Amino acid sequence: MRQHVLVLYLATSALDAPVVGWSRYDGTARTHPTTGDSDEPPYPTGLAALHDGWRLFQASQLLPPQPGHEYDVSFLKHEFLFEKLEDSP
Amino acid sequence: MSTSKQLLTSVEMARFVARGFLRLDGVVPPEINERAVAALEQGLPGVPYGTPLAEAFAPDTFVHDLLAVPAVAGAVESLVGPGPTVDHHAVHVREPHEGQAQPLHGDAIIDVRPDAFDIQLMYYPHEVTADMGGTLSVPGSHLRRINETDVGRVQNLRGQTRLTCPAGTVVVVHHGIWHSGRRNDTARRRYMFKLRLNPTVPQVRLWDLADLHDPAVNAELGAWLPWYEQATGRLEIYNRVLLWRALTGDDTFDVDHWVTRVSNRPALRSHA
């Protein structure tokens, strides 16, 4: 079995929130997604990815800000990782 | 071409504070572009860190003439003031069909300065088409504190800019902007000359202030960008207000009360 991995960054911590960022990795090596290769997300929401058969295997924890760093901004927080499995060639 | 200094307006400065970049499309004359391509193919000698910009590049070099283009000179002076020093420069090449983009990154190391910033000039001496792997940048990412390639996991963001531009384009970016050299799918090398400048004066009111109170300034600073999360997007506006206060010296400035309400600490019986 080979794994396709899809990472969706959502507008809130809810799985049905809009997609604001995305990454893909292809364990079959048939495609080679890379930085900046598309302007349109593959799905409008995280839920839409579930509807298309992707299996969610990780969502970011909700972590309160560190005291004194409440207004700092850094990585996108609401990261959801999905997989689809495909038979080995 | 005008030879007078072309300082940025307040609206343009506010757009830079909100988005982290400024595009100057096709401002460099063809003669300089041709010399630049020839020079970049040969490589450029290094400049020691901290060299005053005025002393860094000889008068017969393309870089000297590039920096004298009024739109470029005006943008540099508006953003980092007179007498900046050279941090470093580099010739960036995206090779033909190299198959992979750079990971998304910020340059140098994590930078926590709240009231100062470096700029980087990205100069494209030849036309950049969509399949040549023009620089990917993420408008509004410059205030998000990341360390170099830690954000490389993220491949695409809504509203990202996949640069295409005519020859002679200069993009001036805040040092913190997330960016990457995209995959070049053509048979031609793509060149970009990068020059990082450090300010030597406080970056306060260095631009053309005639429109400082134009409502468009607030509109620029309050602009919502497509990739912002709902909650953190509000923090972006908060942080832009802090930077605008630093750049204008006006510690009462605000956009929609974002900073004022969370810093309001009336003293007990202060009304007595």
Side-chain angles (χ1 to χ4, degrees):
Chain A
M1 301 289 280
R2 295 286 186 270
Q3 191 181 33
H4 291 271
V5 175
L6 170 67
V7 190
L8 297 180
Y9 301 89
L10 304 183
T12 79
S13 63
L15 189 52
D16 55 356
V19 172
V20 297
W22 60 100
S23 301
R24 298 186 74 150
Y25 301 92
D26 182 353
T28 72
R30 282 194 288 269
T31 64
H32 302 277
T34 187
T35 312
D37 57 6
S38 60
D39 285 335
E40 291 301 319
Y43 300 100
T45 68
L47 183 60
L50 292 186
H51 291 164
D52 195 38
W54 289 89
R55 296 155 54 100
L56 178 70
F57 68 91
Q58 184 172 302
S60 295
Q61 286 185 299
L62 286 176
L63 298 172
Q66 293 290 320
H69 295 277
E70 292 86 352
Y71 303 108
D72 288 356
V73 288
S74 184
F75 306 118
L76 287 83
K77 291 180 178 175
H78 311 307
E79 180 182 75
F80 295 77
L81 290 106
F82 301 81
E83 69 170 2
K84 272 186 180 177
L85 297 176
E86 183 177 332
D87 287 335
S88 302
Chain B
M1 182 175 70
S2 168
T3 55
S4 61
K5 188 185 298 178
Q6 297 176 12
L7 293 176
L8 300 181
T9 67
S10 298
V11 173
E12 290 172 322
M13 280 296 294
R15 190 174 302 147
F16 183 90
V17 166
R19 297 169 190 264
F21 73 99
L22 172 71
R23 278 184 71 143
L24 303 171
D25 278 43
V27 296
V28 183
E31 182 270 331
I32 298 176
N33 296 331
E34 290 166 13
R35 288 166 51 209
V37 170
L40 296 179
E41 287 172 347
Q42 300 297 317
L44 299 180
V47 174
Y49 295 112
T51 301
L53 180 59
E55 303 169 12
F57 301 99
D60 62 346
T61 63
F62 85 86
V63 186
H64 180 275
D65 292 347
L66 167 69
L67 293 164
V69 170
V72 176
V76 168
E77 181 156 338
S78 298
L79 291 162
V80 293
T85 52
V86 175
D87 184 290
H88 71 286
H89 68 72
V91 180
H92 286 258
V93 180
R94 300 305 296 164
E95 296 291 352
H97 302 297
E98 61 183 310
Q100 194 73 16
Q102 288 181 324
L104 199 61
H105 64 281
D107 284 346
I109 62 167
I110 197 165
D111 190 330
V112 298
R113 288 176 290 176
D115 55 357
F117 57 87
D118 297 340
I119 58 170
Q120 297 195 153
L121 275 59
M122 295 179 174
Y123 165 50
Y124 303 85
H126 55 69
E127 180 188 19
V128 178
T129 61
D131 56 357
M132 287 174 69
T135 306
L136 176 84
S137 60
V138 184
S141 58
H142 55 300
L143 302 182
R144 296 213 175 198
R145 292 172 178 172
I146 60 156
N147 189 13
E148 222 265 339
T149 47
D150 281 352
V151 77
R153 174 187 294 184
V154 179
Q155 292 176 345
N156 295 283
L157 291 161
R158 281 189 188 271
Q160 64 194 5
T161 301
R162 300 197 290 173
L163 183 72
T164 59
C165 63
T169 293
V170 177
V171 182
V172 186
V173 302
H174 182 288
H175 69 254
I177 203 160
W178 300 3
H179 65 283
S180 133
R182 290 181 53 242
R183 179 172 57 195
N184 180 0
D185 291 327
T186 71
R188 179 182 173 191
R189 298 183 102 194
R190 178 176 73 76
Y191 289 98
M192 184 269 279
F193 173 69
K194 181 183 79 174
L195 174 62
R196 183 167 178 141
L197 300 175
N198 307 141
T200 60
V201 300
Q203 289 159 288
V204 180
R205 296 181 180 236
L206 298 172
W207 63 94
D208 180 352
L209 297 163
D211 62 339
L212 185 59
H213 301 294
D214 188 326
V217 168
N218 284 55
E220 290 289 348
L221 293 171
W224 195 271
L225 298 178
W227 63 280
Y228 283 171
E229 312 97 318
Q230 188 166 325
T232 312
R234 296 184 169 195
L235 299 181
E236 291 288 349
I237 295 172
Y238 175 96
N239 283 298
R240 293 174 192 168
V241 170
L242 295 188
L243 182 53
W244 192 251
R245 288 183 175 193
L247 292 176
T248 59
D250 176 5
D251 61 6
T252 66
F253 178 84
D254 210 345
V255 173
D256 292 338
H257 226 52
W258 284 114
V259 176
T260 306
R261 71 166 61 86
V262 297
S263 56
N264 176 32
R265 303 292 295 275
L268 193 61
R269 299 189 187 89
S270 61
H271 60 286

